[in-house]
Amino acid sequence: MNTRGAVPAIHVRGLTKSFGGRAVIRNLDLVLPQGGSLAIVGHNGSGKTTLIRLLSGLARADAGLIHVCGVRQGLNAIAVHRAIGIVSHNTFLYQDLTPVENLQFYGRLYGVDRLHQRVETLVERFGLAGYRSTLVRMLSRGTQQRLSLARALLPDPRIVLLDEPDSGLDPQAVDMLPQLLALAELEGRTTLLTTHNLKLGLVLAQRIAILAQGRLVWEQGTPGLSEADVRAAYDLHLPKSNRIWGSPSASGATA
């Protein structure tokens, strides 16, 4: 995809959000070009999930501006929601519906063209055909996450937000995440990933950033970057008590 001169997929200026008088996001700026991919790491409470909710329109900022594909959030909610697919550690799936029923319901909400064909394509791509008649509450966490990703891609969004997609997965399912995301055909889409897993972030994103005390305090391209490099950068910006890993050999998934 040629993105030279293109409007950024995500453009954030001065974003601020507080809860109970405590600032979680503080005057945050972010520019993510079309087709770009960014992994954001940070300790629990650093604001990762809040940032995803703000970008997706699930929460409202106290101050600042968010533009999605050139559209100011809040002025055209339908256009923004159609542009974004979100995968969260909370799947927001309807537990008493089957995978196909979940996809059909979501597709009707978004007016997806050729819905039946689109649902069938995603069911096959993500290995859900064997669970057509199974209620979601009976599915494993890993299978639910596959369905959540299929649902996020159903409207063919230009931007995909992944909020700790490895949360709650067993080690085998985490190891399969890169292959699963490859099935999502994310190349060419704009992706923003939050995670505790440095290895996952380095594999899946072109750039990696550190969110600390509500701000993006460091960002670097991932080619040639190691987990130790990111840990060293993280240690420069937060005291030891707030680090997300317990030892130099930790993977970053301890918090």
Side-chain angles (χ1 to χ4, degrees):
M1 176 183 294
N2 183 0
T3 61
R4 291 184 180 180
V7 173
I10 296 174
H11 190 182
V12 175
R13 289 184 293 164
L15 194 64
T16 298
K17 180 67 177 178
S18 298
F19 294 101
R22 174 178 172 268
V24 178
I25 300 294
R26 305 167 182 261
N27 198 31
L28 184 145
D29 295 332
L30 169 65
V31 178
L32 188 56
Q34 293 185 33
S37 57
L38 175 68
I40 296 179
V41 299
H43 65 84
N44 283 336
S46 63
K48 298 189 303 299
T49 293
T50 298
L51 177 58
I52 291 288
R53 288 179 59 81
L54 291 169
L55 294 177
S56 64
L58 294 176
R60 180 175 295 181
D62 299 328
L65 294 174
I66 300 173
H67 286 82
V68 176
C69 298
V71 177
R72 181 176 170 181
Q73 197 180 82
L75 297 183
N76 192 334
I78 293 176
V80 170
H81 285 302
R82 284 184 180 277
I84 293 176
I86 181 170
V87 178
S88 173
H89 48 83
N90 186 336
T91 63
F92 298 111
L93 296 168
Y94 290 96
Q95 297 293 305
D96 289 321
L97 296 180
T98 67
V100 170
E101 289 169 340
N102 266 274
L103 293 174
Q104 289 174 338
F105 177 75
Y106 187 73
R108 286 194 292 270
L109 286 178
Y110 278 79
V112 175
D113 293 332
R114 297 182 305 231
L115 179 58
H116 176 76
Q117 179 182 342
R118 184 74 176 147
V119 168
E120 289 303 309
T121 297
L122 291 170
V123 164
E124 292 296 329
R125 182 186 302 174
F126 290 102
L128 298 168
Y131 304 101
R132 289 179 178 276
S133 302
T134 304
L135 298 181
V136 165
R137 58 184 167 83
M138 303 298 294
L139 301 177
S140 69
R141 170 68 181 176
T143 303
Q144 288 193 35
Q145 198 69 324
R146 296 208 305 272
L147 176 57
S148 181
L149 185 54
R151 185 192 61 182
L153 295 174
L154 188 60
D156 196 21
R158 297 165 65 182
I159 300 168
V160 178
L161 306 178
L162 302 160
D163 185 21
E164 300 191 41
D166 51 326
S167 177
L169 298 182
D170 58 49
Q172 182 179 9
V174 171
D175 289 341
M176 292 177 62
L177 260 180
Q179 294 92 331
L180 174 61
L181 294 175
L183 291 174
E185 299 178 350
L186 294 180
E187 187 175 351
R189 302 182 196 268
T190 304
T191 59
L192 191 150
L193 163 76
T194 69
T195 183
H196 286 132
N197 190 319
L198 296 186
K199 181 179 179 181
L200 188 66
L202 290 169
V203 167
L204 294 177
Q206 300 163 353
R207 301 187 66 81
I208 191 166
I210 294 170
L211 183 64
Q213 298 176 338
R215 296 186 180 94
L216 293 174
V217 297
W218 179 88
E219 184 177 337
Q220 185 72 39
T222 56
L225 203 65
S226 70
E227 294 177 45
D229 294 330
V230 183
R231 291 192 196 99
Y234 199 98
D235 292 345
L236 289 175
H237 295 284
L238 275 185
K240 185 176 181 180
S241 60
N242 285 334
R243 295 176 192 170
I244 58 175
W245 33 79
S247 68
S249 62
S251 68
T254 59

